[in-house]
Amino acid sequence: MNTFLILVTSNYPYGKGETFLETEIHYLAKEFTKIYIIPTKACSTENLRQVPSNITINNSIQKLKNTESTNSRIAGKLFSIFTFRAFFRELLWMLINKCSFKSLSVLFTFSRDAQLTKNTINSILKSHIADTDKGIIYSYWLNGTTTGCIFNSYKIPVISRVHGGDLYEELYDKNYIPFRKFTLNSLFRLYFISKFGYKYLSKKYSKFANSFEISRLGVQIPRSVSFSHHNSANKLIVSCSSINKNKRVDKIAHHLIDFASQNPTLSFTWHHFGDGEDKSKIQNIISNIPSNMKCIIHGYTINKYLLDFYASNSIDLFINFSKSEGIPVSIMEAGSFGIPTIATNVGGTSELISNENGWLIAKDLNPDEIYKAFREALINEAISKKKGQLSKLKIEQLFDAEKNYSKFAKELRNLL
């Protein structure tokens, strides 16, 4: 029997994001005869990452969004809402609950994404799938494309992952995410990457919780790691994320500058890996720093180079000051190399970091709490080394890609 998987992504395998799929895809490819990937966002198609040989990429949605004008995009949204029958039920609910124009705009976007995804999936099923083939549709994000997957004309079962930005309703205007109840009711399975997320949605939508499961992300575990955090004259600090308001890289910069000013005999270098809309803001902040502090903003970095950097350097501290998270893969990667982390207690981060294996701080970034953590991480080598060892142990136990993705891929195959 031939088996197939239709995987709906944001940009993968194009662009720079969804790096976690680079590992997961190889386990999926072992379990299914054929995989079709549908990226659904406008994105440059120049950077095509390597994928297994049994994968076909359908970038018809991406091509459309890359080339359309503003007027075409508006017309496309209007066309979609009048041909997507679920739109009007949702619109009625919005009118009754007096939702904002911003929420209406989100509904337009979700509806269009749903319609384009539905049409593309139906085209694949009609052209490439035999009646005897068995398959499943996998939406990597819980959004409008997921709703489109559900409306496929061939009644193929749909599963989805849910992360952070697609999970927490408080991140949306009026706490409104379109088609939420309909989508949750129609999914065959919904997989959460954290226990925190699972509890959050189970509490809000308990009637759908029978289809909810936890399936953690994972990283490849380095099998030989030295815990010789150096006692040299220059400490190494790393952060890795997009540079935007949610990730608060500017706050990392400010707190490190304050720490350097208060500890003039301690020298350190801060490396940030990642790019984003607020990069110029960070460059302005670090243009005037104490002489005992150095900053290197690497910009976008291929994941392999980042991991090589971790393997080649003795790093004393990893920092994550996000306002909101699913569960950060960046912390998993750092922890797999025995790098201790200071991170905000948001989303599922506490499933990675505690005060036993790192420093879990309040979301509001209390300066005294941060200063104490910096002191322990950069001056008390015994504490730092111990926390690094325990951090690596936690990653090995719960976030090993070999264990997690192999189990997940086999489970999807067994759903057929």
Side-chain angles (χ1 to χ4, degrees):
M1 178 183 69
N2 288 329
T3 60
F4 68 89
L5 177 74
I6 297 177
L7 172 60
V8 181
T9 69
S10 179
N11 293 318
Y12 180 83
Y14 298 105
K16 303 172 182 178
E18 296 165 305
T19 54
F20 6 87
L21 264 172
E22 293 177 11
T23 302
E24 181 180 332
I25 196 67
H26 294 280
Y27 295 93
L28 295 171
K30 292 177 182 178
E31 298 296 331
F32 292 87
T33 309
K34 191 72 177 178
I35 295 178
Y36 300 87
I37 298 180
I38 307 173
T40 57
K41 302 297 182 185
C43 175
S44 170
T45 57
E46 292 180 0
N47 180 27
L48 173 61
R49 286 167 275 182
Q50 288 187 337
V51 296
S53 59
N54 61 334
I55 287 179
T56 298
I57 303 163
N58 183 311
N59 59 357
S60 57
I61 297 176
Q62 204 167 48
K63 283 182 178 179
L64 172 66
K65 291 188 175 181
N66 282 345
T67 57
E68 66 186 353
S69 65
T70 300
N71 288 340
S72 296
R73 185 167 63 253
I74 294 171
K77 286 186 177 182
L78 291 173
F79 176 78
S80 292
I81 66 174
F82 285 111
T83 55
F84 189 57
R85 64 181 186 273
F87 170 83
F88 293 99
R89 292 197 300 267
E90 202 75 9
L91 180 62
L92 178 61
W93 184 92
M94 289 184 65
L95 293 173
I96 292 172
N97 289 276
K98 299 179 180 179
C99 287
S100 66
F101 179 79
K102 188 174 181 180
S103 297
L104 181 62
S105 178
V106 173
L107 175 58
F108 278 17
T109 299
F110 267 58
S111 298
R112 189 191 187 212
D113 286 344
Q115 183 77 341
L116 291 174
T117 303
K118 181 191 77 169
N119 292 344
T120 304
I121 288 175
N122 286 341
S123 176
I124 290 173
L125 293 171
K126 182 178 180 180
S127 303
H128 301 288
I129 306 302
D131 291 339
T132 56
D133 294 345
K134 296 288 186 180
I136 197 164
I137 300 171
Y138 171 16
S139 177
Y140 197 71
W141 305 93
L142 186 64
N143 52 25
T145 63
T146 314
T147 308
C149 293
I150 291 165
F151 275 99
N152 76 85
S153 302
Y154 293 75
K155 308 301 180 186
I156 305 297
V158 179
I159 67 99
S160 179
R161 278 197 189 274
V162 61
H163 301 255
D166 54 345
L167 171 61
Y168 301 114
E169 296 176 4
E170 295 78 9
L171 301 177
Y172 290 74
D173 190 53
K174 303 293 185 181
N175 299 339
Y176 169 70
I177 299 179
F179 310 113
R180 192 58 135 185
K181 289 183 179 179
F182 168 80
T183 302
L184 293 177
N185 185 49
S186 304
L187 284 172
F188 193 72
R189 290 278 193 282
L190 179 61
Y191 292 95
F192 295 78
I193 64 172
S194 71
K195 186 182 295 184
F196 183 90
Y198 174 87
K199 290 180 178 178
Y200 168 88
L201 210 64
S202 295
K203 184 177 180 180
K204 280 182 169 287
Y205 300 100
S206 57
K207 66 183 294 186
F208 308 127
N210 286 341
S211 63
F212 295 174
E213 291 189 22
I214 298 172
S215 179
R216 299 184 185 278
L217 302 179
V219 294
Q220 294 174 321
I221 307 295
R223 297 308 169 187
S224 58
V225 172
S226 170
F227 292 99
S228 59
H229 292 297
H230 50 68
N231 194 20
S232 70
N234 187 61
K235 302 291 184 178
L236 290 184
I237 300 169
V238 170
S239 54
C240 176
S241 71
S242 299
I243 303 178
N244 55 39
K245 291 179 176 59
N246 179 55
K247 298 300 182 179
R248 298 195 290 194
V249 180
D250 60 320
K251 300 297 184 183
I252 296 177
H254 282 305
H255 281 284
L256 285 176
I257 290 170
D258 289 344
F259 185 76
S261 299
Q262 296 174 61
N263 295 270
T265 60
L266 177 70
S267 296
F268 61 85
T269 300
W270 170 42
H271 295 264
H272 179 78
F273 296 90
D275 209 338
E277 59 201 39
D278 290 341
K279 184 177 179 180
S280 59
K281 180 179 180 180
I282 305 304
Q283 291 171 328
N284 287 335
I285 293 172
I286 64 176
S287 62
N288 184 21
I289 58 177
S291 59
N292 59 324
M293 174 182 176
K294 294 180 181 179
C295 300
I296 302 174
I297 308 299
H298 293 265
Y300 169 71
T301 305
I302 294 173
N303 189 247
K304 180 183 181 302
Y305 295 156
L306 174 67
L307 301 183
D308 286 345
F309 182 86
Y310 291 163
S312 304
N313 294 275
S314 184
I315 299 165
D316 297 277
L317 180 65
F318 185 89
I319 304 176
N320 182 301
F321 280 175
S322 294
K323 288 195 291 187
S324 175
E325 283 285 1
I327 185 165
V329 174
S330 60
I331 295 179
M332 295 179 203
E333 290 175 336
S336 73
F337 285 88
I339 303 169
T341 293
I342 173 175
T344 43
N345 187 8
V346 295
T349 300
S350 62
E351 295 167 47
L352 282 167
I353 299 299
S354 67
N355 289 321
E356 181 181 9
N357 71 340
W359 298 268
L360 193 63
I361 63 172
K363 177 182 177 179
D364 62 4
L365 300 177
N366 180 278
D368 293 336
E369 197 176 13
I370 293 171
Y371 182 84
K372 179 177 181 293
F374 282 172
R375 288 278 302 180
E376 289 188 356
L378 301 175
I379 295 175
N380 194 322
E381 187 175 356
I383 290 178
S384 181
K385 182 176 179 180
K386 182 65 174 177
K387 287 178 183 285
Q389 290 172 330
L390 292 174
S391 184
K392 179 171 173 58
L393 181 62
K394 172 65 74 71
I395 302 304
E396 290 174 341
Q397 290 173 338
L398 293 180
F399 303 99
D400 183 341
E402 174 68 32
K403 296 176 184 176
N404 292 358
Y405 291 143
S406 178
K407 178 184 177 183
F408 178 69
K410 291 181 186 299
E411 183 172 332
L412 294 195
R413 174 65 175 78
N414 290 333
L415 292 177
L416 301 180

